[in-house]
Every structure is written in structure tokens, then in C-alpha cells.
Amino acid sequence: MDAYADSYAASLKDPQRFWLDAAHAVTWSRTPRRALDDSRPPFYRWFPDGELNTCYNALDRHVEAGHGERPALRYDSPVTGATAAYTYAELRDEVARFAGVLRDQGVGKGDRVVVYMPMIPQAVVAMLACARLGAVHSVVFGGFAPRELAARITDAAPKILVTASCGIEPGRVIAYKPIVDEAIAASDHPPTSVVVLQRERLRADLGPRDHDWDALMANARPAPCVDVAATDPLYVLYTSGTTGRPKGVVRDNGGHAVALTWSMKNIYDIGPGDVWWSASDVGWVVGHSYIVYGPLLVGATTVLYEGKPVGTPDAGAFWRVISQYGVKALFTAPTGIRAIKRLDPQGGEVAKYDLSGFTALFLAGERLDPETYRWASSILGVPVVDHWWQTETGWAVAANPRGLQELPIKPGSPTVPMPGYDVEILSPSGEVLPPRTEGAICLRLPLPPGTLLTLWGDDDRYVESYLSRFPGHYSTGDGGYIDEDGYLFVMGRTDDVINVAGHRLSTGSMEAVLGEHPAVAECAVIGVHDALKGQVPHGLVVLKAGADVEPDTLRAELVAAVRRDIGPVAAFKEVSIVDALPKTRSGKILRKSLRAIADGRVEPTPSTIEDPGVLDVLRRVLAPPPTN
Ligand code: COA
Ligand code: AMP
């Protein structure tokens, strides 16, 4: 029996039946009779007549089914030394009370709530409380600076913002409250109030708009789940696009619950009672789908880890967590594994822990280089499973569906398309390319449940960004090919998005910051290969004629400006001053050529880059990635 091939074929042949079948795993307050609504292409909707509550599905129904004492969440924070555990009943009660807090603050169905929090249980509580009320959360990653937070607040126009007094990074405590205050002051749609969770490490001063989380919770009355349409938005998550303006990816309730439930069982092989750990951050899509919603929807235990893979306290930190909590499978980014390998190249730390219950390591977020794949496989002795997806898709486009049918692994490939994803490789003129020919990775419309509905408040930008380049298709922005066995190979982005330590960043927004410096005439930022982070940004700047500035001072100012305006997560540390940037005849900077050189796809020669100054810099800084 070929379970994968059968499922995949069924999903494309009769999507209505395939996804209505999958929808049985979700509890509906109004059961959908239809799966796909294709009456308004290219805006497709899933389960148009269904109603449900996502928080009810993640928490209450497990308690009602008698599993209230099962652990729902285990918090482990090496940066503070704290641990905590919540059963399903405890988490449901906490979420219901915080939903009551939000309701008392005027939050109702459809209202937005921005969540700017570190990796603490209250971040999960805040997200689920929004879902409980039918409100729309928008979580912003803590490594973003006030300006980035302000742009998201302006776009989402939240009623309330929920934050904590601080985040904790190795070696420093980050005061969140001043970041929030600055962002609110700079935004066009400030929230009416801010709820602040006070952490002992650094308490925040509260102003007239601010409320103390604990004080509000002490008097809170629990709020019940509010039924919403399956097609109503559950959250908006901003992600980097080609320009500096972030894109607000909109996720629905029904399609999301169905797709994530399907994925937990069939891709990750995780079900009720299993312990699952996704070492990411709630600020990224991986955190939304696989720290919060996916594992709770299926009644598993999710591990919430506030720390790094290494240095907290050592290279065995991940293996300690796996053995301590009996983790069945871990999901992280390859960069995390490379960080461990760097500190413990022989993998000696693994032997110190009992990993007998550990069955698989899932990796995504950036390309899994074969060396990291081989190393992780050999030290762990379990399948190391690459899979490929994006913020927009919400769950894997291509994966090895271990729970459905384990397929042979081919290093370098995130494996085969998942049900509902009709993957095609297109030439620049839109022709479908034969096997092993590289082109644009596109998905034929409609996309399956769980994928983005649109961009928040901007249908036109949604169509223009993803659907207009290849009509009838969603354009992923990644290039790659499919081999003769149907395995997908992803070669990297074909636009101005880069991937730094598994974090998606826009070079356009960094260029905007550099361009604001009074001495800079023009600039380009490109992703350069980095052995640990996969890619790091490198700025190339041309000075204005007569600019009187000392190069080291300028470089330091530019690095500081990107950190101040975008945030430390940009990891922007390198700037080269050049005489000119390569341009087309019409004067446009040849970013595509620079990118091709940075990726090692094109040699920097006088025929590709005419200006000798740039050529020298490129030869010096752009060590091409290894080809293994
Ligand atoms: N709040 C504030 N600052 C943050 C932050 C947060 N939530 N997250 C990261 N930063 C800071 C870091 O402290 C660092 O600051 P520095 O320049 O002062 O050192 C900077 O942003 C860059 O962070 P990062 O790129 O993560 O580098 P790192 O050296 O701190 O850690 C790794 C590198 C590889 C260990 C880490 O990125 C990692 O564990 N990645 C794997 C998991 C993952 O994050 N996946 C994401 C999607 S699946
Ligand atoms: P994000 O939206 O932050 O999840 O980033 C999505 C992008 O990360 C994709 O478009 C890819 O460029 C890259 N990516 C994610 N997973 C993989 C993978 N398994 N292999 C190669 N690239 C990946």
C-alpha cells in the first residue's frame, strides 16, 4: 500500500471529500457541509459554512473528554532557572481568566491584540485567550526594534497590547516596556491600553495606559469560548517581504485547525499524550503552528523553552530537555544544530542523557545542508527529517510524512509535496519545467486549508505579491527543482528576502535604514554565506561625493542604526564601502547579480561586475557556500 501517494492523489482529485474527512478530527459548533468555497477566485475559503472555536479545540474539549490532568505545557527556562507545568485543566482556566481580562478591556470578536512577549507561558495564554474571544492576535518577535513594532501596530490597529517587563538573552536583560512605549508613540493606531506581565528580573514602571497582568488576573472572571465562522481570522502574523513594509499574513480558524491537526498526526506522528518540542519562538510561524496550536489541538504536551541550544549551560542543553521531559520529537532550525555541533563536534554530550524515547528530529526554516543532516543523524541515531514551508503556508508544503508513510530520505531534499499542495516548477515565461530543471517553485491555486487568506487589509497587495507573477499560481519566492521521484529540492529565495539563523529578514528594510545615513549615496544589502547562521547580511555602501566621514566610524554608525531601527535579530554586523554598485543601463542596481554571486551561483568576474572596486569587495567578502 502506498499511503502517501494515495492520500496525495485523493487530495488533488477530490479536495472537498479529502478535507471534509480531515475535518472530522476537529470539534465544530456547526459542522461544515462544504470544504472549499471557490466562488470568488483568487480568494478561496475553506469550510465556509462551518463554525468553531480554536481555543475550545486546543483546550476545553480535551478537559471535557476527561484529560484535564494531562500535561498541556511544560515551561523550561535555562535563562532564569525557572520551570513550570500546566495541565490541560490549568491552562484552560488560566486562558479563560485572561480572556475575561481582555473582554473587560473591551476586546471582542474581530478586535486585534498585539502580543510582544518573550518565551513565557503567558505568551501562549495571551494567544489562546484571543482565540477564545474570537479576537485576532498579532504576535511580534521580541528581537524586533521599536520601529518594526510600530509598523505592525499601525497596520493591525490593535485595541490592546500585551507585553512583559523584559526579555532575557544570554548576558543581557532587554527592557520591553521602553520599546513598547516608543513604538506606541510612533504608531498611527495606538492601543487604548497595555497589559504588562511583571518579571522579577526587571520590573517595568507603569503609566496611566498600563495595567499589571497579575492585578487584572486576580479579579478576572473567566470568559467562555465564542463561536466564530471557520473563515474568520484567528491571527495576523507579519513577515518580511521584498520591500521594507512587513506583510500581515492572515490565518483563518477552520482551515488552520483542520490542516494543523492533519499535520501533527501524518507528518510529525504526534498524538494525544505525546511530548512534543518545537524549539522556536512564539513570534515566528513555527511557534504559532507548532509550539501553540498544533500540539494542543491533538492533545499532546508542548514544551516551551526559553533559551538557546548552547551555552545554557552547555552543548547538551537540548539533549537534557529531551530526556527530562520524555520528548518524542523535536522541531528546530538547522542553525540550532550547527550551533551545537560547533561546541561539541563529536556529539559527546548526547551520551550523557537518556534519549530512548526520542524518535525523530524535524528541521525547517532554512536549507538543511547535507553536512548538518549527516552529523545530526549520526550523533542522534534517529531520522532527521527536513521539511519546507513558509509563514504564508502555515504548515509544510513539502515533507516526509512519517505518521502516514515514512519515505526514504534524500539529503538536500525536504521530500515530497503534502496533500493539497500542487507544486510546479515554472520557467520565467510560466511553462512547467521537466524534472531536474531549476525554476520558480509555484503552487497551483487553490492552496490547501491552513494557508494564508490574504494580507491584512490589503487584498491588492496579496494578489500583487503572490498571485500576479504566474497567473493561477501562488509564487513561493523560492527557486528549486523536482527530481524524477517527485522529490523537491529548494535552492533558496529568488527575491530580496534572506534567512539569518532561521529568521526571515528583508534586505530592503535594511537598505532603507542605511539609505537614511547622511553620508550614504546608495546601498545594497545582500545575504552572505555564514557557517553558523546560514546567511548573514552584508551592506555595500557608496558614499556621497565629498562626504567627510571616517570609514570605521561610518561602519559603526550603520551597524548601530540597523540594530536600533530593525533590531538585534537582523544580525547586521558587516559593511563595505565601495566606489560604485553594479547597475543596469537604466541605473537600477543589479541586486539579482549580487545575489547570484553571494549564493555562489555566479563567479564575480569583470564580465558579471564591471566596477573593479565592487569586484574586489565581492571576492573578499563573499565566500561561496560549500557545495556538499
Ligand atoms: N529578544 C531580543 N533579542 C533577541 C531575541 C529576542 N527574542 N532573539 C534574538 N535576539 C538577539 C540575540 O541576542 C542576538 O543579539 P547580539 O547581536 O547582541 O548577540 C541577535 O538578536 C541575533 O540573534 P540570533 O541570530 O538568534 O543569534 P544568536 O547568536 O543569539 O543565536 C542561534 C544563534 C543559532 C543559537 C539561534 O539563532 C538559534 O538557536 N536558532 C535556532 C532556533 C530558531 O530560532 N529558529 C527560528 C525559526 S524555526
Ligand atoms: P519563514 O516564512 O520565516 O518560515 O521563511 C520561509 C523561507 O525559509 C522559505 O521561503 C525558504 O526560503 C526558507 N526555508 C524554510 N524551510 C526550508 C527548508 N527546509 N529548506 C530550504 N529553505 C527553507
Side-chain angles (χ1 to χ4, degrees):
M1 195 187 81
D2 196 340
Y4 160 71
D6 292 350
S7 272
Y8 184 65
S11 75
L12 295 189
K13 187 159 166 265
D14 192 352
Q16 297 282 358
R17 177 186 285 187
F18 184 88
W19 291 113
L20 276 180
D21 277 354
H24 287 132
V26 166
T27 302
W28 304 84
S29 45
R30 184 157 180 251
T31 308
R33 303 205 178 285
R34 230 160 28 113
L36 175 64
D37 173 5
D38 55 1
S39 59
R40 207 168 59 93
F43 299 95
Y44 299 91
R45 294 292 179 265
W46 287 96
F47 310 109
D49 55 346
E51 281 181 12
L52 76 166
N53 181 279
T54 297
C55 178
Y56 177 83
N57 273 278
L59 299 175
D60 302 57
R61 69 165 173 160
H62 303 309
V63 180
E64 289 171 13
H67 306 302
E69 296 314 306
R70 186 186 284 162
L73 186 147
R74 290 198 180 278
Y75 168 59
D76 189 291
S77 169
V79 295
T80 59
T83 57
Y86 293 74
T87 64
Y88 268 92
E90 287 165 344
L91 191 58
R92 191 254 338 243
D93 292 347
E94 193 85 352
V95 167
R97 279 199 296 139
F98 195 64
V101 166
L102 292 177
R103 183 190 53 193
D104 291 348
Q105 296 289 320
V107 175
K109 201 185 216 176
D111 290 332
R112 272 81 59 213
V113 174
V114 164
V115 177
Y116 185 70
M117 291 186 111
M119 284 287 286
I120 53 178
Q122 289 83 356
V124 178
V125 169
M127 292 166 75
L128 289 165
C130 291
R132 193 169 189 87
L133 295 175
V136 180
H137 61 68
S138 187
V139 185
V140 180
F141 177 63
F144 280 121
R147 195 155 103 166
E148 291 287 324
L149 178 57
R152 288 155 174 78
I153 294 173
T154 293
D155 200 68
K159 214 166 217 175
I160 305 285
L161 188 147
V162 184
T163 189
S165 54
C166 66
I168 301 160
E169 283 291 290
R172 71 198 160 97
V173 175
I174 299 139
Y176 274 23
K177 193 59 193 353
I179 296 175
V180 166
D181 288 342
E182 194 182 329
I184 289 178
S187 73
D188 293 345
H189 296 288
T192 48
S193 59
V194 176
V195 179
V196 184
L197 186 276
Q198 296 280 20
R199 303 188 80 187
E200 282 315 315
R201 191 63 71 86
L202 180 75
R203 295 179 73 83
D205 294 331
L206 302 188
R209 185 178 43 207
D210 307 326
H211 301 273
D212 178 83
W213 172 296
D214 289 333
L216 294 178
M217 283 292 265
N219 301 310
R221 286 167 306 124
C225 295
V226 174
D227 290 336
V228 298
T231 54
D232 280 343
L234 170 69
Y235 69 76
V236 180
L237 176 59
Y238 288 88
T239 188
S240 301
T242 306
T243 66
R245 224 177 97 222
K247 296 167 165 175
V249 166
V250 181
R251 194 88 57 213
D252 65 1
N253 276 274
H256 177 251
V258 172
L260 290 194
T261 303
W262 189 93
S263 74
M264 287 307 297
K265 177 171 186 291
N266 292 285
I267 299 179
Y268 303 108
D269 192 24
I270 293 292
D274 287 336
V275 182
W276 160 262
W277 178 21
S278 172
S280 175
D281 188 288
V282 289
W284 306 113
V285 71
V286 176
H288 281 61
S289 294
Y290 295 115
I291 294 174
V292 184
Y293 290 109
L296 297 178
L297 283 168
V298 299
T301 303
T302 186
V303 177
L304 183 79
Y305 178 78
E306 186 184 24
K308 304 272 171 183
V310 292
T312 49
D314 53 41
F318 268 26
W319 321 137
R320 192 264 304 162
V321 172
I322 291 173
S323 76
Q324 188 167 335
Y325 301 111
V327 170
K328 184 176 170 191
L330 164 67
F331 177 172
T332 189
T335 188
I337 301 300
R338 290 196 297 269
I340 297 170
K341 178 174 173 236
R342 183 173 273 198
L343 215 67
D344 180 22
Q346 304 307 320
E349 289 291 323
V350 173
K352 295 185 186 164
Y353 300 94
D354 174 10
L355 303 189
S356 52
F358 184 55
T359 60
L361 171 65
F362 291 91
L363 297 172
E366 51 162 334
R367 180 175 172 267
L368 172 57
D369 55 291
E371 171 53 29
T372 302
Y373 163 75
R374 278 191 285 269
W375 186 79
S377 307
S378 74
I379 64 150
L380 291 170
V382 297
V384 173
V385 186
D386 188 8
H387 57 318
W388 168 72
W389 52 295
Q390 321 182 298
T391 304
E392 290 85 344
T393 67
W395 63 288
V397 182
N400 194 333
R402 289 197 79 231
L404 181 65
Q405 179 189 359
E406 192 158 356
L407 300 172
I409 290 174
K410 294 192 191 186
S413 168
T415 322
V416 292
M418 288 299 92
Y421 288 106
D422 194 353
V423 181
E424 287 183 336
I425 308 294
L426 300 185
S427 72
S429 57
E431 281 137 23
V432 178
L433 292 168
R436 290 210 172 269
T437 312
E438 201 174 320
I441 308 178
C442 294
L443 312 175
R444 273 185 90 86
L445 296 176
L447 298 176
T451 53
L452 81 169
L453 298 186
T454 184
L455 294 179
W456 182 252
D458 204 343
D459 283 350
D460 291 346
R461 190 174 179 212
Y462 166 61
V463 173
E464 184 208 311
S465 306
Y466 302 105
L467 310 181
S468 58
R469 174 74 185 85
F470 299 103
H473 292 81
Y474 165 92
S475 177
T476 65
D478 280 303
Y481 63 90
I482 298 178
D483 77 2
E484 48 294 331
D485 298 325
Y487 278 55
L488 182 70
F489 288 77
V490 181
M491 309 311 287
R493 299 288 304 195
T494 55
D495 55 13
D496 295 326
V497 168
I498 58 170
N499 207 306
V500 180
H503 306 139
R504 176 165 156 185
L505 297 162
S506 153
T507 54
S509 62
M510 294 185 224
E511 288 171 5
V513 175
L514 302 187
E516 283 170 17
H517 192 285
V520 171
E522 54 188 6
C523 62
V525 174
I526 47 177
V528 175
H529 172 71
D530 181 81
L532 174 64
K533 297 193 179 188
Q535 280 186 307
V536 287
H538 192 113
L540 302 169
V541 299
V542 179
L543 299 188
K544 282 184 183 155
D548 183 17
V549 55
E550 210 271 313
D552 282 345
T553 309
L554 175 69
R555 277 191 280 267
E557 285 173 2
L558 294 174
V559 167
V562 173
R563 195 175 172 96
R564 181 196 64 220
D565 288 344
I566 296 178
V569 66
F572 181 82
K573 308 240 154 103
E574 300 293 334
V575 184
S576 299
I577 300 168
V578 295
D579 294 335
L581 289 166
K583 289 192 183 163
T584 61
R585 285 224 178 93
S586 60
K588 258 183 103 179
I589 295 171
L590 276 166
R591 290 195 165 73
K592 216 167 153 188
S593 306
L594 289 171
R595 215 169 39 232
I597 291 166
D599 289 350
R601 279 183 280 135
V602 175
E603 275 291 299
T605 63
S607 62
T608 51
I609 300 291
E610 282 163 18
D611 178 79
V614 187
L615 193 61
D616 282 349
V617 171
L618 291 176
R619 284 210 185 100
R620 199 159 25 83
V621 302
L622 304 181
T627 48
N628 68 342

